[in-house]
Amino acid sequence: MTTTTDETMLPADEHSVRHNIDQLHADALDLARRTQQLATVLDHGDYSAAGGHVRTAVTHFWRAAEDLHRAFHTAPPRCAGPDASLSRLCGRRMRYLAARVARRAE
């Protein structure tokens, strides 16, 4: 998925923005998992030093995923307004994620 930061290219609809953030979050988590698998393989034998560097990258990917999760919460849904509490936003996100998982299960 290609994502741009050019202001003229950002979608005006906040649902699209939130979807893009959520997709980037999922991509970061997937990349962290795949990188962790590579680090586990590299930890043995002559590649152990490389495995350590790859583990460092895993840490960066997890932090990026956490930052994207925070960004999702600072882009509140239209009906919440800018002063919405974090608990309200987290509740909305959990319902959104539950619906997303249910769609995948179908």
Side-chain angles (χ1 to χ4, degrees):
M1 177 176 182
T2 303
T3 305
T4 179
T5 57
D6 183 5
E7 290 178 358
T8 60
M9 299 299 290
L10 288 175
D13 178 22
E14 79 251 9
H15 294 292
S16 296
V17 171
R18 290 172 61 84
H19 176 73
N20 286 343
I21 292 171
D22 189 53
Q23 184 61 50
L24 285 170
H25 178 253
D27 292 346
L29 290 175
D30 182 56
L31 186 57
R33 284 185 202 105
R34 290 183 6 232
T35 306
Q36 177 64 40
Q37 291 170 349
L38 177 61
T40 301
V41 170
L42 292 176
D43 275 345
H44 304 290
D46 295 335
Y47 296 105
S48 61
H53 291 293
V54 173
R55 277 195 195 285
T56 301
V58 171
T59 304
H60 292 294
F61 295 142
W62 278 111
R63 286 185 185 147
E66 290 172 0
D67 288 340
L68 288 164
H69 180 76
R70 277 188 229 102
F72 186 92
H73 288 300
T74 58
R78 189 175 318 170
C79 61
D83 298 324
S85 68
L86 186 59
S87 63
R88 181 173 177 195
L89 294 174
C90 281
R92 292 182 66 83
R93 176 148 175 79
M94 291 304 113
R95 287 190 300 277
Y96 168 79
L97 290 174
R100 189 172 157 193
V101 168
R103 280 193 306 261
R104 284 186 182 170
E106 292 176 348

